[in-house]
Amino acid sequence: MAHIMANTESASAPTEVRLSQLQATSSPIETIARVVTCERREVTRKSDGSRRPLLSGLLSDGTATVRFTWWDPPREGIERGAVLHAVGAEVREFRGRAELVFTWRTRVEPASPAELPRVDSDALPFRTVKDLKPGEEGFRLEVRVLRVGRRTVTVGEEQRELHDGLVADRTGPLAFTAWSDFGLVNGEAVRIAGGYVRAFRGRPQLVLDERATVVRVEGAGLPDPAELLRAPPRSIADVEDEGGGEAIAVEGLVVGLLPPSGLVYRCPSCRRSVTRGLCRVHGQVEGQPDLRARIVLDDGTGALTVQAGRAETEALWGLTLEEARRRLRDQPDPTLLEEQLFEALLGRRLRVRGTGTKDDFGVTLVPESIERVDVDLDATAEELSSRLGGGG
Ligand SMILES: [Zn+2]
C-alpha cells in the first residue's frame, strides 16, 4: 500500500486527542484507544461492483466511547480488547456525534494498555449495574462480591490466570472477569474504577484489566449476598426477554430431556463428549464415563434448558454414576438408561438457580443449585397443623 502524503498534510502533524474531546475537524488526529466491539464486513462499490472490506465498531480510551470505521483493515489480528495507536485518523460527524475513520492514510499499530490515557478515577461518574451496557467504559461502581474463582486459560501460546465471578449492587448482579489478581474475597464491598463492559455470550460482563482500580469500602446500602442468591423465582418468559441473566431462579415442571443425557463419555483432555471413541479435537481417546441431564423446564410462560452435571443428575435421579454403569452392564442399551432417567424426572417440579444465557435455541441455565419443590398437599397440611398445635 502506498503511503504518499500530500504536502499540506505532512505540514500539520496529527495531535494526540482524547476521545472525549473529539470534534469533527478537517485535520487528522492521533489517538490511542481500545477496541470494545468490532465487526468485519464487505461493501460493494457502486462504480465497478467490486467488494471492499471494512471493520467497524466502538473504540474507547477510558474518557469516551466512539464509533469507528476502518477501510481495508488487516486480514486478522484486530480483536475486541486490542489497544490501537492510530496516527492520521479522520474525524467525521455522523448524526451529531463525532466518529473516527481509518483510511489508507492512517497508520495503525498495536499498543499496550499502559499507553492508554491515565484516567483520574475520582472524576468518573458512579453508575449502577442495571444501566451498564456493553461498550461502556469510564465509570465507577460500588458492588458486593458474590462469588469469585480462579481459572487458567490459554491465550495464544500463553497460559494466563484469570479471576471471574459475580458482583452485585441493589439493582442486580453482574458477571466479571479480572486479568489481574485484585485479591477479591466473597462478601466484601468494593469500589471499582477503570473497568469496561463487554458482551459475553450475549450478556454484559465487566472486564477489569491492569488499569482498573479496586478499593475496599464499607458497603452500606449494598445487598447481602445471601439475600441476592435467595431471590424469588422469575417467569421463564421474563428471563427469555432479558436474554438470560446472572444468579436467576426459575421454577417449573420437567417436560422433556434433550440428548445427550444420562451416561455419557468425555474426552480425558478437554471434557468434550466423545462419540464412538472419537473426540472432535483429540481424535481417538479413551472416553471417561460421566452423567448429565439436559432438562427442559416449563413454567407455563415458556421453557428453558437446564444443563445438569454429574452431581445434580445423581441427586435428581437417585442413582450414582457407578450404579448407572452397573445397570448398563445388565441392560446394554444406553437409550433404555436415558428413558429411565426421563421417567424419574418427568413432571417433577424444580427450582433452579444459576446463570442463564440465550442463543438461537433459547435460554440455557447452568445451575448452581437445583431444589425439588414437590408439592405434597397432605404433608403440607400435616406440617401446618403440627406447627399451629405446638406453637401456643
Ligand atoms: Zn478432547
Side-chain angles (χ1 to χ4, degrees):
M1 200 187 286
H3 281 275
I4 305 160
M5 296 267 203
N7 277 338
T8 49
E9 270 146 347
S10 56
S12 61
T15 43
E16 197 176 329
V17 172
R18 301 281 174 264
L19 295 183
S20 58
Q21 269 124 43
L22 209 60
Q23 282 176 342
T25 56
S26 52
S27 48
I29 60 132
E30 175 178 356
T31 194
I32 296 177
R34 182 198 310 280
V35 177
V36 181
T37 62
C38 65
E39 192 184 23
R40 196 173 283 271
R41 57 201 166 90
E42 283 187 333
V43 291
T44 307
R45 277 196 182 91
K46 275 193 192 124
S47 53
D48 60 357
S50 66
R51 316 270 292 161
R52 190 176 177 196
L54 124 83
L55 191 76
S56 65
L58 294 170
L59 283 177
S60 171
D61 66 354
T63 70
T65 303
V66 302
R67 279 184 51 84
F68 77 101
T69 303
W70 188 349
W71 291 101
D72 306 307
R75 278 213 184 92
E76 50 195 32
I78 307 300
E79 280 159 14
R80 209 164 54 179
V83 178
L84 302 175
H85 180 189
V87 181
E90 288 176 24
V91 188
R92 291 188 193 154
E93 201 180 286
F94 182 69
R95 291 181 184 158
R97 299 189 67 164
E99 58 177 56
L100 286 172
V101 181
F102 300 167
T103 67
W104 64 272
R105 275 195 274 250
T106 314
R107 203 173 71 237
V108 189
E109 289 165 348
S112 112
E115 294 174 69
L116 287 163
R118 284 269 142 229
V119 176
D120 176 12
S121 59
D122 290 341
L124 297 175
F126 275 108
R127 303 289 301 275
T128 58
V129 165
K130 202 174 178 191
D131 59 23
L132 285 176
K133 302 273 180 309
E136 287 194 70
E137 190 165 9
F139 54 83
R140 279 189 288 175
L141 208 57
E142 272 196 10
V143 287
R144 176 95 59 196
V145 179
L146 295 190
R147 188 174 68 230
V148 56
R150 186 195 316 206
R151 295 192 288 132
T152 305
V153 293
T154 309
V155 182
E157 309 212 320
E158 206 188 329
Q159 293 268 75
R160 286 186 67 179
E161 187 176 87
L162 68 81
H163 300 254
D164 60 6
L166 269 185
V167 294
D169 66 9
R170 280 177 315 275
T171 67
L174 178 66
F176 76 91
T177 284
W179 289 99
S180 311
D181 185 1
F182 292 99
L184 295 173
V185 174
N186 283 342
E188 72 178 344
V190 288
R191 181 181 301 149
I192 296 172
Y196 64 96
V197 182
R198 65 166 183 172
F200 182 67
R201 293 180 183 146
R203 302 282 315 155
Q205 184 190 52
L206 176 68
V207 184
L208 306 177
D209 63 17
E210 51 276 27
R211 292 168 71 236
T213 57
V214 172
V215 182
R216 269 78 197 164
V217 293
E218 219 175 289
L222 287 176
D224 169 12
E227 181 191 316
L228 265 160
L229 297 171
R230 271 197 316 258
R234 316 218 343 240
S235 85
I236 291 176
D238 275 358
V239 171
E240 253 180 357
D241 283 349
E242 286 173 24
E246 285 72 34
I248 51 170
V250 295
E251 193 176 300
L253 295 179
V254 178
V255 297
L257 198 62
L258 300 176
S261 286
L263 189 57
V264 296
Y265 293 87
R266 294 192 186 281
C267 169
S269 310
C270 67
R271 307 294 297 160
R272 282 184 178 85
S273 65
V274 167
T275 321
R276 285 178 215 91
L278 284 178
C279 166
R280 188 150 64 79
V281 173
H282 296 98
Q284 191 87 45
V285 290
E286 178 83 33
Q288 291 176 343
D290 193 13
L291 278 185
R292 69 178 295 188
R294 298 181 63 217
I295 301 165
V296 183
L297 202 69
D298 189 311
D299 73 349
T301 71
L304 52 69
T305 310
V306 178
Q307 297 269 30
R310 176 178 164 182
E312 291 117 7
T313 308
E314 286 182 333
L316 287 170
W317 198 0
L319 200 73
T320 65
L321 174 60
E322 284 318 308
E323 285 163 348
R325 293 180 74 194
R326 221 172 295 135
R327 234 186 237 192
L328 189 64
R329 261 173 249 137
D330 302 335
Q331 42 166 54
D333 178 5
T335 59
L336 215 56
L337 210 56
E338 198 178 323
E339 272 169 34
Q340 286 161 356
L341 171 61
F342 182 46
E343 275 163 25
L345 296 181
L346 180 66
R348 205 180 268 184
R349 177 175 290 278
L350 302 178
R351 182 178 294 180
V352 186
R353 288 178 193 283
T355 299
T357 55
K358 191 177 172 181
D359 64 14
D360 294 344
F361 302 100
V363 174
T364 298
L365 196 57
V366 175
E368 276 144 32
S369 73
I370 301 180
E371 288 167 66
R372 289 177 58 167
V373 272
D374 292 326
V375 187
D376 182 339
L377 292 176
D378 289 339
T380 309
E382 205 177 299
E383 194 188 347
L384 190 64
S385 72
S386 79
R387 275 195 194 174
L388 289 175

